[in-house]
Amino acid sequence: MITTPTSSRTRSRLAAAAASLAIAGAIGFGAVTTSPAPVLAEAVNVQAPQVPGFADLVEKVSPAVVSVQVKSKVQPASDEGGLPFDAPDFFQDNPQLKRFFKEFRGGPNGQRFQHRENRNREPRPVAQGSGFFISEDGYIVTNNHVVDGGTAFTVVMTDGKEFDAKLVGTDQRTDLAVLKVDAKDQKFTYVEFADDSKVRVGDWVVAVGNPFGLGGTVTSGIVSARGRDIGAGPYDDFIQIDAPVNRGNSGGPTFNQSGQVVGINTAIFSPSGGSVGIAFDIPASTAKQVVEVLMKGGSIERGWLGVEIQPVTADIAESLGLKAEKGALVSGAQDDSPAKKAGIVAGDVITQVDGKDVATTKELARLIGAYQPGKSVDVTVWRGGKAETVKVDLGKLPNGDKVASAGKPSEPSGANSLADLGLTVTKSEDGKGVVVTDVDPDSDAADRGIQPGDIITAVNAQEVAGASDISSAMKEAQKAGRKQVLVQISREDTNRFVTLPVAKG
């Protein structure tokens, strides 16, 4: 190999230059190499998956959503006056609490405090919520609890325009209300109701409304449950959504990804008073049915069956020979009710209405309530170990609840012991049933809630006139291979059912 000698000074300069080039390459200014540069593969431009957005949807539906401001001719509280509600004495006597509640009530535009010169204006704002147009001629849907008590109504559009509205109708039981804006030569952007039967748990939804009076606000989430019963009323069938919904969102719509209304925001679950991301919507199918009637100036009339009912538990199902814990157990038919006229009696289990299955007591209430008074329906009941169909002409749901009447317990005499059941009973004064005079606290009867003074009127649908009738019903159940018997009890003018294990004898 032939080499070219270099001086030590030359070698030092070359080494320094090489070091400088190496450093330059390390910080991005390029590098020098004595070998050919490797050929790099062509870079692949990979597109990241697009996260679904709602901007196009929101732009489309927002003009149909409004803020609803409700006013009432109510005298506001003065600095020296009392609270605006009937409060306990310790509130009235505490000036700090009084001042807090007057400040908390808020001002006309949702601000926390209001100027003194605005306090005596009438009418003054008492509520603020949301709503949405469902027709181009100005019909608006909102919640009943938003407009309740109001005497004047104003709707504010997303562009800030304000219109006066009149109240067309309300339905307290479903918490729905309809307002109407009359504006000449004005056509409003409106939205349509969806077929909520197609809504699935896990679907994306968007809630649009006016929380805290801030103006149009959009939140998103998913449908997290269907058919929720939150104890709001007999027709509870809410869609649960996991999306931030707050005070002021009430009456606002929840949209599917097609821009259709799947539900109306009406309640939230909130231990603290603020949103924890769980809200409840009135289903579109319920709202559409009610709103159509209200728009025509009508009132909502619901069918009435007239029965007292209770859930079918596993023990009750077993005692009656039912295969599943479904249906509504009739504990009594009210006097002069359609059910009583049709022959429905205590101990029947209603399993279907016009061929539609009844899974729970709430479902029975919703099915019957969906019919108009006077409608003739086929009610399927489980009676005596088999299914029977009874035709019922429904009545009109009364304003108050009718209570089935029953005899008052009389003073016991001539008690008989049913030791296997933990009961001591005596004949009732009118001969209808037996009065419970004592209950063993360690017995199944005590565990099931039977108390002294209760009247046992039937066991497994067989009328009871004495202790021997109970023993006979137990023996028959034992022969039939049943583990439980169904005991009908009258207590304080109401009927209920409990199960007891078949006594072994």
mmCIF file of all heavy atoms in Angstrom, residues 232-276:
data_model
loop_
_atom_site.group_PDB
_atom_site.id
_atom_site.type_symbol
_atom_site.label_atom_id
_atom_site.label_comp_id
_atom_site.label_asym_id
_atom_site.label_seq_id
_atom_site.Cartn_x
_atom_site.Cartn_y
_atom_site.Cartn_z
ATOM 1 N N ALA A 232 -89.520 10.180 38.469
ATOM 2 C CA ALA A 232 -90.143 11.470 38.179
ATOM 3 C C ALA A 232 -91.646 11.356 38.014
ATOM 4 O O ALA A 232 -92.365 12.333 38.209
ATOM 5 C CB ALA A 232 -89.529 12.079 36.915
ATOM 6 N N GLY A 233 -92.138 10.172 37.641
ATOM 7 C CA GLY A 233 -93.570 10.014 37.434
ATOM 8 C C GLY A 233 -93.886 8.617 36.939
ATOM 9 O O GLY A 233 -92.987 7.790 36.729
ATOM 10 N N PRO A 234 -95.173 8.345 36.712
ATOM 11 C CA PRO A 234 -95.574 6.989 36.323
ATOM 12 C C PRO A 234 -95.171 6.618 34.905
ATOM 13 O O PRO A 234 -95.256 5.457 34.532
ATOM 14 C CB PRO A 234 -97.107 7.031 36.454
ATOM 15 C CG PRO A 234 -97.467 8.471 36.274
ATOM 16 C CD PRO A 234 -96.331 9.244 36.878
ATOM 17 N N TYR A 235 -94.753 7.597 34.101
ATOM 18 C CA TYR A 235 -94.432 7.309 32.711
ATOM 19 C C TYR A 235 -92.941 7.441 32.424
ATOM 20 O O TYR A 235 -92.537 7.678 31.286
ATOM 21 C CB TYR A 235 -95.237 8.241 31.789
ATOM 22 C CG TYR A 235 -96.709 8.230 32.109
ATOM 23 C CD1 TYR A 235 -97.326 9.347 32.662
ATOM 24 C CD2 TYR A 235 -97.489 7.099 31.883
ATOM 25 C CE1 TYR A 235 -98.672 9.334 32.977
ATOM 26 C CE2 TYR A 235 -98.835 7.074 32.198
ATOM 27 C CZ TYR A 235 -99.419 8.199 32.745
ATOM 28 O OH TYR A 235 -100.752 8.173 33.064
ATOM 29 N N ASP A 236 -92.108 7.291 33.434
ATOM 30 C CA ASP A 236 -90.662 7.406 33.260
ATOM 31 C C ASP A 236 -90.156 6.409 32.217
ATOM 32 O O ASP A 236 -90.400 5.199 32.321
ATOM 33 C CB ASP A 236 -89.940 7.138 34.580
ATOM 34 C CG ASP A 236 -89.969 8.341 35.499
ATOM 35 O OD1 ASP A 236 -90.773 9.247 35.240
ATOM 36 O OD2 ASP A 236 -89.193 8.367 36.459
ATOM 37 N N ASP A 237 -89.461 6.929 31.216
ATOM 38 C CA ASP A 237 -88.849 6.084 30.187
ATOM 39 C C ASP A 237 -87.718 6.876 29.548
ATOM 40 O O ASP A 237 -87.679 7.062 28.336
ATOM 41 C CB ASP A 237 -89.904 5.689 29.148
ATOM 42 C CG ASP A 237 -89.360 4.712 28.112
ATOM 43 O OD1 ASP A 237 -88.389 4.000 28.429
ATOM 44 O OD2 ASP A 237 -89.889 4.682 26.988
ATOM 45 N N PHE A 238 -86.792 7.348 30.362
ATOM 46 C CA PHE A 238 -85.809 8.319 29.899
ATOM 47 C C PHE A 238 -84.644 7.665 29.157
ATOM 48 O O PHE A 238 -84.275 6.525 29.430
ATOM 49 C CB PHE A 238 -85.252 9.116 31.079
ATOM 50 C CG PHE A 238 -86.257 10.028 31.727
ATOM 51 C CD1 PHE A 238 -86.856 9.692 32.926
ATOM 52 C CD2 PHE A 238 -86.614 11.222 31.119
ATOM 53 C CE1 PHE A 238 -87.784 10.523 33.522
ATOM 54 C CE2 PHE A 238 -87.543 12.066 31.702
ATOM 55 C CZ PHE A 238 -88.131 11.721 32.903
ATOM 56 N N ILE A 239 -84.088 8.442 28.221
ATOM 57 C CA ILE A 239 -82.815 8.097 27.596
ATOM 58 C C ILE A 239 -81.713 8.746 28.428
ATOM 59 O O ILE A 239 -81.754 9.952 28.666
ATOM 60 C CB ILE A 239 -82.743 8.609 26.147
ATOM 61 C CG1 ILE A 239 -83.830 7.953 25.287
ATOM 62 C CG2 ILE A 239 -81.364 8.341 25.550
ATOM 63 C CD1 ILE A 239 -83.923 8.538 23.883
ATOM 64 N N GLN A 240 -80.767 7.962 28.876
ATOM 65 C CA GLN A 240 -79.648 8.516 29.640
ATOM 66 C C GLN A 240 -78.498 8.812 28.692
ATOM 67 O O GLN A 240 -78.109 7.974 27.874
ATOM 68 C CB GLN A 240 -79.175 7.538 30.706
ATOM 69 C CG GLN A 240 -78.002 8.054 31.535
ATOM 70 C CD GLN A 240 -77.546 7.060 32.581
ATOM 71 O OE1 GLN A 240 -78.360 6.401 33.218
ATOM 72 N NE2 GLN A 240 -76.242 6.929 32.748
ATOM 73 N N ILE A 241 -77.971 10.035 28.785
ATOM 74 C CA ILE A 241 -76.808 10.401 27.968
ATOM 75 C C ILE A 241 -75.666 10.824 28.889
ATOM 76 O O ILE A 241 -75.889 11.442 29.921
ATOM 77 C CB ILE A 241 -77.133 11.520 26.959
ATOM 78 C CG1 ILE A 241 -77.533 12.826 27.674
ATOM 79 C CG2 ILE A 241 -78.220 11.085 26.000
ATOM 80 C CD1 ILE A 241 -77.652 14.018 26.757
ATOM 81 N N ASP A 242 -74.475 10.466 28.499
ATOM 82 C CA ASP A 242 -73.284 10.894 29.238
ATOM 83 C C ASP A 242 -72.692 12.095 28.519
ATOM 84 O O ASP A 242 -71.751 11.972 27.727
ATOM 85 C CB ASP A 242 -72.276 9.750 29.345
ATOM 86 C CG ASP A 242 -72.665 8.750 30.422
ATOM 87 O OD1 ASP A 242 -73.830 8.813 30.847
ATOM 88 O OD2 ASP A 242 -71.841 7.925 30.822
ATOM 89 N N ALA A 243 -73.266 13.254 28.778
ATOM 90 C CA ALA A 243 -72.806 14.517 28.200
ATOM 91 C C ALA A 243 -73.062 15.605 29.228
ATOM 92 O O ALA A 243 -74.033 15.533 29.979
ATOM 93 C CB ALA A 243 -73.553 14.828 26.903
ATOM 94 N N PRO A 244 -72.184 16.622 29.293
ATOM 95 C CA PRO A 244 -72.390 17.696 30.269
ATOM 96 C C PRO A 244 -73.663 18.497 29.961
ATOM 97 O O PRO A 244 -73.778 19.136 28.923
ATOM 98 C CB PRO A 244 -71.141 18.567 30.095
ATOM 99 C CG PRO A 244 -70.127 17.673 29.474
ATOM 100 C CD PRO A 244 -70.905 16.765 28.574
ATOM 101 N N VAL A 245 -74.615 18.423 30.859
ATOM 102 C CA VAL A 245 -75.865 19.178 30.770
ATOM 103 C C VAL A 245 -76.048 19.883 32.108
ATOM 104 O O VAL A 245 -75.923 19.257 33.158
ATOM 105 C CB VAL A 245 -77.065 18.255 30.477
ATOM 106 C CG1 VAL A 245 -78.374 19.008 30.599
ATOM 107 C CG2 VAL A 245 -76.929 17.641 29.083
ATOM 108 N N ASN A 246 -76.330 21.175 32.072
ATOM 109 C CA ASN A 246 -76.402 21.960 33.296
ATOM 110 C C ASN A 246 -77.702 22.740 33.375
ATOM 111 O O ASN A 246 -78.545 22.679 32.471
ATOM 112 C CB ASN A 246 -75.211 22.931 33.366
ATOM 113 C CG ASN A 246 -73.918 22.242 33.734
ATOM 114 O OD1 ASN A 246 -73.703 21.885 34.886
ATOM 115 N ND2 ASN A 246 -73.050 22.039 32.754
ATOM 116 N N ARG A 247 -77.851 23.470 34.473
ATOM 117 C CA ARG A 247 -79.015 24.315 34.655
ATOM 118 C C ARG A 247 -79.115 25.305 33.502
ATOM 119 O O ARG A 247 -78.151 25.991 33.162
ATOM 120 C CB ARG A 247 -78.898 25.070 35.980
ATOM 121 C CG ARG A 247 -80.135 25.851 36.366
ATOM 122 C CD ARG A 247 -79.932 26.476 37.717
ATOM 123 N NE ARG A 247 -79.613 25.474 38.724
ATOM 124 C CZ ARG A 247 -79.105 25.763 39.921
ATOM 125 N NH1 ARG A 247 -78.823 27.004 40.234
ATOM 126 N NH2 ARG A 247 -78.843 24.802 40.783
ATOM 127 N N GLY A 248 -80.271 25.384 32.874
ATOM 128 C CA GLY A 248 -80.461 26.214 31.693
ATOM 129 C C GLY A 248 -80.534 25.402 30.420
ATOM 130 O O GLY A 248 -81.020 25.865 29.395
ATOM 131 N N ASN A 249 -80.031 24.143 30.473
ATOM 132 C CA ASN A 249 -80.155 23.240 29.330
ATOM 133 C C ASN A 249 -81.554 22.629 29.235
ATOM 134 O O ASN A 249 -81.903 22.044 28.206
ATOM 135 C CB ASN A 249 -79.142 22.091 29.430
ATOM 136 C CG ASN A 249 -77.799 22.427 28.825
ATOM 137 O OD1 ASN A 249 -76.817 22.608 29.544
ATOM 138 N ND2 ASN A 249 -77.741 22.525 27.505
ATOM 139 N N SER A 250 -82.333 22.740 30.301
ATOM 140 C CA SER A 250 -83.655 22.124 30.317
ATOM 141 C C SER A 250 -84.484 22.582 29.128
ATOM 142 O O SER A 250 -84.585 23.779 28.851
ATOM 143 C CB SER A 250 -84.393 22.479 31.612
ATOM 144 O OG SER A 250 -83.840 21.826 32.707
ATOM 145 N N GLY A 251 -85.106 21.626 28.453
ATOM 146 C CA GLY A 251 -85.919 21.934 27.288
ATOM 147 C C GLY A 251 -85.150 21.929 25.995
ATOM 148 O O GLY A 251 -85.742 21.987 24.911
ATOM 149 N N GLY A 252 -83.829 21.848 26.076
ATOM 150 C CA GLY A 252 -83.002 21.839 24.873
ATOM 151 C C GLY A 252 -82.949 20.461 24.242
ATOM 152 O O GLY A 252 -83.200 19.445 24.898
ATOM 153 N N PRO A 253 -82.607 20.401 22.950
ATOM 154 C CA PRO A 253 -82.605 19.123 22.235
ATOM 155 C C PRO A 253 -81.281 18.381 22.334
ATOM 156 O O PRO A 253 -80.222 18.978 22.506
ATOM 157 C CB PRO A 253 -82.862 19.556 20.795
ATOM 158 C CG PRO A 253 -82.210 20.909 20.700
ATOM 159 C CD PRO A 253 -82.346 21.547 22.058
ATOM 160 N N THR A 254 -81.382 17.070 22.205
ATOM 161 C CA THR A 254 -80.211 16.220 22.010
ATOM 162 C C THR A 254 -80.323 15.618 20.616
ATOM 163 O O THR A 254 -81.344 15.017 20.270
ATOM 164 C CB THR A 254 -80.146 15.110 23.068
ATOM 165 O OG1 THR A 254 -79.928 15.698 24.352
ATOM 166 C CG2 THR A 254 -79.016 14.140 22.776
ATOM 167 N N PHE A 255 -79.279 15.787 19.808
ATOM 168 C CA PHE A 255 -79.312 15.393 18.402
ATOM 169 C C PHE A 255 -78.516 14.126 18.153
ATOM 170 O O PHE A 255 -77.501 13.870 18.816
ATOM 171 C CB PHE A 255 -78.723 16.501 17.519
ATOM 172 C CG PHE A 255 -79.527 17.772 17.505
ATOM 173 C CD1 PHE A 255 -79.130 18.861 18.275
ATOM 174 C CD2 PHE A 255 -80.655 17.886 16.713
ATOM 175 C CE1 PHE A 255 -79.850 20.044 18.255
ATOM 176 C CE2 PHE A 255 -81.390 19.068 16.682
ATOM 177 C CZ PHE A 255 -80.996 20.143 17.460
ATOM 178 N N ASN A 256 -78.987 13.345 17.166
ATOM 179 C CA ASN A 256 -78.149 12.273 16.646
ATOM 180 C C ASN A 256 -77.237 12.853 15.568
ATOM 181 O O ASN A 256 -77.276 14.058 15.280
ATOM 182 C CB ASN A 256 -78.994 11.105 16.120
ATOM 183 C CG ASN A 256 -79.914 11.527 14.974
ATOM 184 O OD1 ASN A 256 -79.734 12.569 14.338
ATOM 185 N ND2 ASN A 256 -80.925 10.715 14.716
ATOM 186 N N GLN A 257 -76.428 12.035 14.933
ATOM 187 C CA GLN A 257 -75.454 12.543 13.969
ATOM 188 C C GLN A 257 -76.086 12.962 12.649
ATOM 189 O O GLN A 257 -75.415 13.533 11.787
ATOM 190 C CB GLN A 257 -74.371 11.492 13.731
ATOM 191 C CG GLN A 257 -73.533 11.229 14.974
ATOM 192 C CD GLN A 257 -72.386 10.277 14.718
ATOM 193 O OE1 GLN A 257 -71.396 10.625 14.099
ATOM 194 N NE2 GLN A 257 -72.530 9.053 15.206
ATOM 195 N N SER A 258 -77.400 12.700 12.511
ATOM 196 C CA SER A 258 -78.113 13.144 11.319
ATOM 197 C C SER A 258 -78.817 14.475 11.548
ATOM 198 O O SER A 258 -79.510 14.968 10.661
ATOM 199 C CB SER A 258 -79.141 12.081 10.895
ATOM 200 O OG SER A 258 -78.507 10.869 10.569
ATOM 201 N N GLY A 259 -78.665 15.043 12.754
ATOM 202 C CA GLY A 259 -79.291 16.317 13.050
ATOM 203 C C GLY A 259 -80.752 16.208 13.436
ATOM 204 O O GLY A 259 -81.493 17.197 13.389
ATOM 205 N N GLN A 260 -81.191 15.022 13.844
ATOM 206 C CA GLN A 260 -82.567 14.817 14.308
ATOM 207 C C GLN A 260 -82.591 14.767 15.833
ATOM 208 O O GLN A 260 -81.620 14.333 16.473
ATOM 209 C CB GLN A 260 -83.131 13.514 13.745
ATOM 210 C CG GLN A 260 -83.247 13.490 12.231
ATOM 211 C CD GLN A 260 -83.647 12.119 11.723
ATOM 212 O OE1 GLN A 260 -83.087 11.093 12.150
ATOM 213 N NE2 GLN A 260 -84.597 12.080 10.812
ATOM 214 N N VAL A 261 -83.706 15.184 16.413
ATOM 215 C CA VAL A 261 -83.840 15.229 17.868
ATOM 216 C C VAL A 261 -84.200 13.843 18.390
ATOM 217 O O VAL A 261 -85.262 13.306 18.072
ATOM 218 C CB VAL A 261 -84.924 16.245 18.286
ATOM 219 C CG1 VAL A 261 -85.084 16.253 19.807
ATOM 220 C CG2 VAL A 261 -84.576 17.635 17.780
ATOM 221 N N VAL A 262 -83.319 13.273 19.192
ATOM 222 C CA VAL A 262 -83.595 11.958 19.783
ATOM 223 C C VAL A 262 -84.193 12.094 21.181
ATOM 224 O O VAL A 262 -84.813 11.161 21.688
ATOM 225 C CB VAL A 262 -82.332 11.076 19.845
ATOM 226 C CG1 VAL A 262 -81.820 10.786 18.451
ATOM 227 C CG2 VAL A 262 -81.246 11.730 20.693
ATOM 228 N N GLY A 263 -83.996 13.262 21.810
ATOM 229 C CA GLY A 263 -84.532 13.442 23.164
ATOM 230 C C GLY A 263 -84.475 14.898 23.579
ATOM 231 O O GLY A 263 -83.836 15.732 22.929
ATOM 232 N N ILE A 264 -85.176 15.194 24.674
ATOM 233 C CA ILE A 264 -85.233 16.554 25.209
ATOM 234 C C ILE A 264 -84.665 16.539 26.616
ATOM 235 O O ILE A 264 -85.135 15.784 27.486
ATOM 236 C CB ILE A 264 -86.679 17.072 25.229
ATOM 237 C CG1 ILE A 264 -87.256 17.053 23.810
ATOM 238 C CG2 ILE A 264 -86.748 18.479 25.813
ATOM 239 C CD1 ILE A 264 -88.730 17.333 23.757
ATOM 240 N N ASN A 265 -83.645 17.360 26.860
ATOM 241 C CA ASN A 265 -82.999 17.403 28.167
ATOM 242 C C ASN A 265 -84.003 17.839 29.231
ATOM 243 O O ASN A 265 -84.629 18.890 29.117
ATOM 244 C CB ASN A 265 -81.836 18.405 28.153
ATOM 245 C CG ASN A 265 -80.793 18.055 27.116
ATOM 246 O OD1 ASN A 265 -80.502 16.900 26.882
ATOM 247 N ND2 ASN A 265 -80.237 19.065 26.469
ATOM 248 N N THR A 266 -84.135 17.029 30.267
ATOM 249 C CA THR A 266 -85.124 17.385 31.285
ATOM 250 C C THR A 266 -84.616 17.217 32.704
ATOM 251 O O THR A 266 -85.149 17.831 33.622
ATOM 252 C CB THR A 266 -86.400 16.544 31.105
ATOM 253 O OG1 THR A 266 -87.455 17.074 31.897
ATOM 254 C CG2 THR A 266 -86.168 15.093 31.484
ATOM 255 N N ALA A 267 -83.576 16.416 32.924
ATOM 256 C CA ALA A 267 -83.086 16.198 34.288
ATOM 257 C C ALA A 267 -81.633 15.767 34.236
ATOM 258 O O ALA A 267 -81.149 15.256 33.228
ATOM 259 C CB ALA A 267 -83.928 15.135 34.999
ATOM 260 N N ILE A 268 -80.932 16.006 35.358
ATOM 261 C CA ILE A 268 -79.559 15.546 35.481
ATOM 262 C C ILE A 268 -79.395 14.829 36.810
ATOM 263 O O ILE A 268 -80.158 15.050 37.746
ATOM 264 C CB ILE A 268 -78.535 16.698 35.391
ATOM 265 C CG1 ILE A 268 -78.733 17.701 36.540
ATOM 266 C CG2 ILE A 268 -78.617 17.388 34.045
ATOM 267 C CD1 ILE A 268 -77.655 18.775 36.604
ATOM 268 N N PHE A 269 -78.412 13.961 36.852
ATOM 269 C CA PHE A 269 -78.004 13.365 38.128
ATOM 270 C C PHE A 269 -76.875 14.215 38.666
ATOM 271 O O PHE A 269 -75.839 14.376 38.022
ATOM 272 C CB PHE A 269 -77.535 11.929 37.937
ATOM 273 C CG PHE A 269 -76.969 11.318 39.197
ATOM 274 C CD1 PHE A 269 -77.813 10.903 40.211
ATOM 275 C CD2 PHE A 269 -75.606 11.199 39.379
ATOM 276 C CE1 PHE A 269 -77.292 10.358 41.374
ATOM 277 C CE2 PHE A 269 -75.079 10.655 40.537
ATOM 278 C CZ PHE A 269 -75.937 10.233 41.537
ATOM 279 N N SER A 270 -77.073 14.789 39.859
ATOM 280 C CA SER A 270 -76.077 15.733 40.364
ATOM 281 C C SER A 270 -76.052 15.756 41.881
ATOM 282 O O SER A 270 -76.891 16.389 42.512
ATOM 283 C CB SER A 270 -76.380 17.142 39.835
ATOM 284 O OG SER A 270 -75.477 18.063 40.382
ATOM 285 N N PRO A 271 -75.095 15.069 42.496
ATOM 286 C CA PRO A 271 -74.958 15.157 43.956
ATOM 287 C C PRO A 271 -74.572 16.558 44.418
ATOM 288 O O PRO A 271 -74.866 16.955 45.542
ATOM 289 C CB PRO A 271 -73.837 14.154 44.274
ATOM 290 C CG PRO A 271 -73.730 13.285 43.078
ATOM 291 C CD PRO A 271 -74.129 14.137 41.913
ATOM 292 N N SER A 272 -73.906 17.340 43.529
ATOM 293 C CA SER A 272 -73.379 18.640 43.926
ATOM 294 C C SER A 272 -74.204 19.812 43.419
ATOM 295 O O SER A 272 -74.021 20.937 43.861
ATOM 296 C CB SER A 272 -71.957 18.796 43.384
ATOM 297 O OG SER A 272 -71.956 18.756 41.965
ATOM 298 N N GLY A 273 -75.127 19.573 42.482
ATOM 299 C CA GLY A 273 -75.880 20.656 41.875
ATOM 300 C C GLY A 273 -75.352 21.031 40.508
ATOM 301 O O GLY A 273 -76.052 21.654 39.716
ATOM 302 N N GLY A 274 -74.127 20.649 40.187
ATOM 303 C CA GLY A 274 -73.545 20.881 38.870
ATOM 304 C C GLY A 274 -73.509 19.589 38.083
ATOM 305 O O GLY A 274 -73.849 18.520 38.589
ATOM 306 N N SER A 275 -73.062 19.689 36.838
ATOM 307 C CA SER A 275 -73.045 18.516 35.979
ATOM 308 C C SER A 275 -71.947 17.539 36.385
ATOM 309 O O SER A 275 -70.810 17.936 36.647
ATOM 310 C CB SER A 275 -72.829 18.936 34.522
ATOM 311 O OG SER A 275 -72.646 17.799 33.704
ATOM 312 N N VAL A 276 -72.302 16.261 36.435
ATOM 313 C CA VAL A 276 -71.299 15.206 36.587
ATOM 314 C C VAL A 276 -71.294 14.333 35.336
ATOM 315 O O VAL A 276 -70.734 13.258 35.330
ATOM 316 C CB VAL A 276 -71.568 14.341 37.843
ATOM 317 C CG1 VAL A 276 -71.398 15.160 39.096
ATOM 318 C CG2 VAL A 276 -72.956 13.701 37.792
#
